[in-house]
Every structure is written in structure tokens, then in C-alpha cells.
Amino acid sequence: MKMEKVLITDSSFEVKPATIVRKRVLTDKEHLFEIRLEGGEALNHDPGQFVEVSILGAGEAPISICSSPTRRQGFEVCVRKIGKLTTVMHNLEVGDTLGIRGPYGKGFPVGILEGHDLLLIAGGLGLAPLRSLINYVMDNRRDFGRVSILLGCNTPQSILFGDEVDLWSSRIDVSFHCTVDRADPDWKGHVGAITTLIPGETIDPDYTFAIIVGPPVMYKYVIKELLAKGVPESQILVSLERHMKCGLGKCGHCQIHNIYCCQDGPVFRYDRIKNLRGAI
Ligand SMILES: Cc1cc2nc3c(=O)[nH]c(=O)nc-3n(C[C@H](O)[C@H](O)[C@H](O)COP(=O)(O)OP(=O)(O)OC[C@H]3O[C@@H](n4cnc5c(N)ncnc54)[C@H](O)[C@@H]3O)c2cc1C
Ligand code: FES
């Protein structure tokens, strides 16, 4: 696999001061933060890219940008409380400051996706990075063909962005299906693994790009269903998550054989990584 060289300039490492301008509790584990860079500077990100968030004394972590570049002056991140930095971040309030490096990585190739049908598949927290693309597509709806969204979650309570999910599912120009692993008596929707939604989808394989973002366990089975539907390997895109430190191809933490997930990805074409042991 041939990799492009990315020019790393001093400014790529720069930690920019930023302020939390809005905070919303999405679930008991995930909070949404709207962040603005100091002086109102635009982040200039592509859907699917990530930033390194740093908080003095708590460290640094890669977090996906979950807002579309077509929306708001700032940008949004959805943070799951899991360890040191994310716990401190959950306790920050509007007006508090933090550091931002980036945006980093190769996101979703929107220019290539334009004119095609899209099958957007998210599992759990995977909806956060995919939301940046979904809302980009919603804001440029005429540039895309048929749009289908498949969402899989553990429980109805763990569904992120519930208000937007309702909006997407009510649009006549979007096909939307959601499934949960474990339902309560109030849940009227589908129950089962996300793979069970794929056979029912109408797909024109030649014109469809399938985009998958979710927990590692999901990829193998979802890809199998997509291949059974005839979607070419080159039209299946996955976003891979690896332990990352520097975020820009220097430290080697995210390396899978000859690729750096942070710089060559996190979004990859399936045919380009399928033979890399450990990638999927
Ligand atoms: C490209 C990318 C995008 C991400 N986007 C988001 C996002 O939008 N929202 C979000 O909440 N999180 C996201 N993450 C995950 C987030 O970076 C980690 O959870 C991070 O470690 C949290 O920092 P912490 O200091 O709170 O946890 P730590 O105290 O560092 O670690 C907590 C635990 O999580 C484990 N861990 C750390 N990083 C990872 C990893 N990448 N994969 C699996 N286990 C890990 C550690 O080994 C430890 O057990 C993303 C990661 C990557 C690589
Ligand atoms: S995180 Fe350092 S090389 Fe990718």
C-alpha cells in the first residue's frame, strides 16, 4: 500500500487555546461540548477528522469532531467518560478553557461520495464521528443519491443525539432504521444486531458507498453482509480507532504494519486494509 507523505509543519503541533461555549448531557456517559478556538478562528475540518484535546494536569486524548463543517462557528465533540482526561472534561463547564491540536487525519472523502448512494452505518459511539458526515450530507442533500442510515445501540437509553435521530428518521429523503441489543417494554423498534438490518436494505451496489463507524467487533460482520449484497470492497469505508498519542504520524502508537492510523486514516477503504493483520 502506497502512502502519501504529509508535510508536518511546526504549526501542526500547536496547541490552540479554546473555550467551551455550550455543554449538553446526552446520556449518563456521554456529554456534548461545543468548543470555539480563541479569537473565533475556524477549525477548518473535514467530516471524519479528529482533534487532540488537552487539559492541564489531565493529559491529552484524540476525540472525533462530531459536527459538520457546514454548521456553527465552533465545532462539537461528544465525549464518553472513560478515564483521566474524559472524567476531568465532563466536569468542565461553559466558559472553561482547554487546548486543541488539529484537525488531524483523513476524514470521509466527500468529493468522491458526491453523486453516489450512501449507506451510513453507526454502532454506539460511532455515531459521533459519523454525525459530522450525516449532517454534511443533510446540508448538501442534492449532491447525493439515496441516503440510508442504520444505527445500532446497546439499549434505547444509550441512543445518542435523540433529537437529531428523530429528525433524520422523519425526513422523506432519508431511509432510517435503528436497532437495539436489549429493549425495555416501551421500545417499539427493532431488536437485534445491526447486521440484521442490512438484508432488508435496497442497495444498488454499483452506485453505493457503505460507511461504517463503530466498535471493532462490528466491522467483520457488517462487511460480510455488505459483500453479500454485492457492495464492492473499494466502496466500503471504515473508520478505525487505535491508541493514539501524537496524532500526526510521529510516535508510532497507532501503527498497523506500514500505516499510521492517525495520518493515513482514521477513514480507510476496506480493500486497502483488508489484508493488514489486526486492522479489522
Ligand atoms: C481517532 C480517535 C477518535 C476518537 N474519538 C472519540 C470520541 O469522539 N469520543 C470519545 O469519547 N472518545 C473518542 N476516542 C477515544 C478516546 O481518545 C479515548 O477513550 C481516550 O483514551 C480517553 O482519554 P482518557 O484520559 O479519559 O482515558 P485513559 O485514562 O487514557 O484510558 C482509559 C482506558 O481506555 C483505554 N483506551 C485509551 N485509548 C483507547 C483507544 N483508542 N481504544 C481503546 N481503548 C483505549 C485505556 O487503555 C484505559 O484502559 C477516540 C480515539 C481515537 C483514536
Ligand atoms: S498517534 Fe503517533 S503516529 Fe499515530
Side-chain angles (χ1 to χ4, degrees), residues 133-197:
L133 178 64
I134 293 174
N135 282 334
Y136 179 91
V137 171
M138 297 301 159
D139 293 344
N140 297 280
R141 186 63 191 87
R142 278 182 302 180
D143 295 341
F144 299 89
R146 193 201 324 252
V147 174
S148 305
I149 302 171
L150 304 182
L151 174 61
C153 299
N154 282 334
T155 62
Q157 291 71 32
S158 66
I159 296 174
L160 297 171
F161 308 108
D163 48 347
E164 283 172 62
V165 163
D166 289 344
L167 213 65
W168 302 331
S169 61
S170 66
R171 283 182 70 134
I172 53 166
D173 58 356
V174 172
S175 156
F176 180 90
H177 296 284
C178 178
T179 183
V180 297
D181 297 330
R182 292 186 310 280
D184 52 34
D186 294 335
W187 176 251
K188 304 278 181 287
H190 193 92
V191 181
I194 194 159
T195 44
T196 59
L197 297 177

Side-chain angles (χ1 to χ4, degrees), residues 34-178:
E34 184 183 341
I35 297 170
R36 276 199 203 153
L37 296 178
E38 200 169 74
E41 187 190 337
L43 186 66
N44 288 327
H45 69 284
D46 297 325
Q49 286 192 296
F50 66 94
V51 285
E52 289 280 349
V53 176
S54 62
I55 299 174
L56 223 55
E60 198 177 40
I63 302 288
S64 304
I65 304 155
C66 70
S67 52
S68 164
T70 49
R71 298 195 182 182
R72 295 187 185 277
Q73 282 180 304
F75 63 95
E76 289 172 322
V77 290
C78 171
V79 177
R80 174 176 287 173
K81 189 161 124 179
I82 190 168
K84 199 171 169 193
L85 177 123
T86 49
T87 302
V88 173
M89 191 159 173
H90 268 225
N91 292 329
L92 295 183
E93 296 299 339
V94 169
D96 286 337
T97 55
L98 30 68
I100 297 291
R101 286 197 289 127
Y104 292 137
K106 292 201 176 66
F108 304 108
V110 283
I112 293 171
L113 302 180
E114 278 175 15
H116 290 85
D117 293 349
L118 301 182
L119 179 56
L120 306 163
I121 306 172
L125 187 57
L127 184 59
L130 199 58
R131 174 181 178 254
S132 67
L133 178 64
I134 293 174
N135 282 334
Y136 179 91
V137 171
M138 297 301 159
D139 293 344
N140 297 280
R141 186 63 191 87
R142 278 182 302 180
D143 295 341
F144 299 89
R146 193 201 324 252
V147 174
S148 305
I149 302 171
L150 304 182
L151 174 61
C153 299
N154 282 334
T155 62
Q157 291 71 32
S158 66
I159 296 174
L160 297 171
F161 308 108
D163 48 347
E164 283 172 62
V165 163
D166 289 344
L167 213 65
W168 302 331
S169 61
S170 66
R171 283 182 70 134
I172 53 166
D173 58 356
V174 172
S175 156
F176 180 90
H177 296 284
C178 178

Side-chain angles (χ1 to χ4, degrees), residues 50 52 60 62 101 241-257 259-263:
F50 66 94
E52 289 280 349
E60 198 177 40
R101 286 197 289 127
E241 209 181 280
R242 284 293 184 281
H243 280 261
M244 289 185 189
K245 289 280 179 208
C246 69
L248 35 62
K250 285 284 181 193
C251 71
H253 268 85
C254 67
Q255 193 171 0
I256 314 171
H257 301 268
I259 64 163
Y260 288 127
C261 226
C262 65
Q263 202 178 47

